[in-house]
Amino acid sequence: MLIACDDKIATLMMLLDLSAAFDTVDQEMLLKILSDEFGIRGVALEWFRSFLIGRTQRVMIDDEFSNAETLDFGVAQGSVLGPKLFNIYIQSFIPTMQAIGVEIEGYADDHQLRKRFNLVFQFQVLTTGISNIFSVAETWMFEFFLMINCTKTQIMIVAPEALKKLIIINGVFVGDTCIRFVEEAKNLGICIDSTLTFDVQVNKVAKGCHATLRQLARIKKFLTKQDLQTLVSALVLSKIDCCNSLYYKLKSCSIKKLQSIQNSAARIVMTTDRFDRVHSADLLMKLHWLKIEDRIVYKLIVLVYKCIERKHLMISLP
């Protein structure tokens, strides 16, 4: 999407929401996919069968249980295998959407569809184009006993600020449902805005971290330095580092907001009053904490290193 913005091209992004996705998986169809398309047979297939088939469910009201009912559909939510089995179940959805020129990415029941377009063709893409995409997606979903929740599905047009002013269409009818285009949306835990400034995400992180730091400041006198540093790392720095590779080359004002959080965290851990004349860089060095910009670069370097190492490993395999 960043590359499209640099090329002065808009991107249509559709964040699909599936109704009770894990509960409607056809177990026999999933086992057939595992057998026919992934080559899992024999004892291994029986392991999957025992994991899926024969589960029961009952309801408790006022210490009274209902009769147990067998679950003929669905995979166990909250299990390690649940998301992976759902990925396998919908693996044919990806080539189906790619066949109509739509990029697709996602995990488990969270998927996003993307289509780049020139603003000259915005009417065709944002009206009949979206309807056609939904039609193909819903046809596939019907065959696999899944259903798109149009009321919760979000559509966003990602484009530079100058191009956003030229977009005159702000919504589309899908069947009987009118879906208004949104300016920001939460995607896999990250708030993405339509101009990719990440201002909403940074403000959200800053608000949550400052609230946590205020609570830690009230109890810091009861904690050792080591315990306080552990809490700050777990509750504050982890939020700053979450998906921080997206913050690379972010606006300086946004980086300063995140840096101020880290500086405040360092002062709390080192029990330094805000009025003390102590340079924040000295505190960060004593704690062996990288600055925000350095943490972002470090994350990118680690990701690239892991990709290169994995590629070399795959090449060396017989």
Side-chain angles (χ1 to χ4, degrees), residues 156-168:
M156 182 166 62
I157 309 300
V158 178
E161 191 65 39
L163 293 183
K164 292 285 293 182
K165 299 176 182 179
L166 303 177
I167 298 176
I168 59 176

Side-chain angles (χ1 to χ4, degrees), residues 42-168:
V43 176
L45 185 63
E46 291 305 313
W47 289 342
F48 282 106
R49 182 178 294 277
S50 66
F51 177 79
L52 293 168
I53 306 296
R55 291 184 178 271
T56 59
Q57 174 180 291
R58 56 180 180 170
V59 179
M60 184 180 72
I61 301 178
D62 296 332
D63 298 327
E64 294 290 334
F65 284 97
S66 66
N67 295 328
E69 295 289 340
T70 303
L71 297 176
D72 297 325
F73 292 84
V75 295
Q77 295 192 47
S79 63
V80 175
L81 281 178
K84 293 179 173 59
L85 287 175
F86 192 85
N87 279 347
I88 292 173
Y89 184 69
I90 66 168
Q91 52 89 27
S92 62
F93 182 57
I94 296 175
T96 299
M97 301 312 299
Q98 290 175 340
I100 59 173
V102 176
E103 299 176 17
I104 178 171
E105 288 181 356
Y107 181 72
D109 58 340
D110 288 316
H111 276 74
Q112 63 179 29
L113 309 179
R114 298 194 309 272
K115 185 177 181 64
R116 300 179 185 180
F117 66 96
N118 194 300
L119 288 187
V120 176
F121 306 104
Q122 65 171 295
F123 180 79
Q124 293 91 329
V125 174
L126 301 182
T127 54
T128 57
I130 293 179
S131 298
N132 292 337
I133 292 173
F134 265 101
S135 178
V136 173
E138 288 180 333
T139 300
W140 184 94
M141 295 286 175
F142 181 79
E143 294 178 0
F144 285 80
F145 303 97
L146 300 173
M147 185 174 69
I148 298 177
N149 187 346
C150 292
T151 58
K152 292 185 178 181
T153 292
Q154 295 179 307
I155 301 177
M156 182 166 62
I157 309 300
V158 178
E161 191 65 39
L163 293 183
K164 292 285 293 182
K165 299 176 182 179
L166 303 177
I167 298 176
I168 59 176

Side-chain angles (χ1 to χ4, degrees), residues 249-301:
K249 294 297 181 180
L250 209 59
K251 294 185 299 185
S252 59
C253 59
S254 297
I255 295 295
K256 287 181 180 178
K257 288 182 181 179
L258 298 175
Q259 188 61 59
S260 68
I261 297 171
Q262 190 184 38
N263 295 343
S264 299
R267 286 180 174 274
I268 289 177
V269 172
M270 301 298 289
T271 62
T272 303
D273 191 85
R274 62 178 179 174
F275 297 109
D276 292 343
R277 293 185 177 181
V278 180
H279 202 281
S280 298
D282 297 333
L283 297 178
L284 296 178
M285 185 172 294
K286 290 180 181 179
L287 290 168
H288 300 285
W289 290 356
L290 293 174
K291 290 184 178 181
I292 295 299
E293 285 187 292
D294 296 332
R295 297 172 85 93
I296 295 170
V297 174
Y298 177 76
K299 173 69 76 63
L300 287 170
I301 292 173

